[in-house]
Amino acid sequence: MLSNNFYVIQTENGDMIRDAKSMLRINIHQLDNRSFLPNPSELQFYSINSRVLLAFETVNIKDYLRPLVASALLWYAQHIGYPEMNISTEDPRPSLKAG
C-alpha cells in the first residue's frame, strides 16, 4: 500500500511531489524545449509520459529520505493514471538526439 502523504503542488518552476510527513520534495521537469542541468548533489530520474520527457529531481535530499523516493515516484505514476510508467536513472536525451 502506497503512502497517503504524497501530493503534487504547482510551483513557479513547475510541479513538485511532496510528502507531508517527511517533507521530501521532488521537482518534476518537462524536458520538451527546456534545458535541464542536473544538480550533482541531488538524485535524478527520467521517464517518458505520453511522449513527454520528464525529469524528476530531489530537492535538498537527506540520506534518510532516499528510500522514500521510489515510493514517491510510484505514487506519482499511479496519481497521473500511468502506473506502468518506466522510470530510469539514465538520461535518455543523448540517445534521443542520436536516433
Side-chain angles (χ1 to χ4, degrees), residues 19-30:
D19 178 46
K21 239 180 177 177
S22 71
M23 299 311 292
L24 171 71
R25 296 178 294 163
I26 302 172
N27 282 324
I28 304 168
H29 303 275
Q30 290 189 6

Side-chain angles (χ1 to χ4, degrees), residues 22-25 41-43 58-69:
S22 71
M23 299 311 292
L24 171 71
R25 296 178 294 163
S41 304
E42 300 296 338
L43 302 175
T58 58
V59 178
N60 297 324
I61 190 72
K62 308 285 188 251
D63 284 341
Y64 66 90
L65 292 175
R66 289 175 182 257
L68 196 54
V69 173

Side-chain angles (χ1 to χ4, degrees), residues 63-90:
D63 284 341
Y64 66 90
L65 292 175
R66 289 175 182 257
L68 196 54
V69 173
S71 294
L73 296 178
L74 179 59
W75 173 87
Y76 179 76
Q78 292 181 349
H79 173 73
I80 63 170
Y82 189 38
E84 66 276 3
M85 182 166 63
N86 184 23
I87 300 170
S88 172
T89 56
E90 283 191 45

Side-chain angles (χ1 to χ4, degrees), residues 19-62:
D19 178 46
K21 239 180 177 177
S22 71
M23 299 311 292
L24 171 71
R25 296 178 294 163
I26 302 172
N27 282 324
I28 304 168
H29 303 275
Q30 290 189 6
L31 301 180
D32 45 5
N33 292 322
R34 298 179 213 151
S35 63
F36 169 67
L37 297 172
N39 179 340
S41 304
E42 300 296 338
L43 302 175
Q44 293 85 27
F45 298 90
Y46 302 89
S47 181
I48 297 177
N49 172 25
S50 302
R51 298 186 183 242
V52 175
L53 182 58
L54 299 175
F56 301 93
E57 184 174 55
T58 58
V59 178
N60 297 324
I61 190 72
K62 308 285 188 251

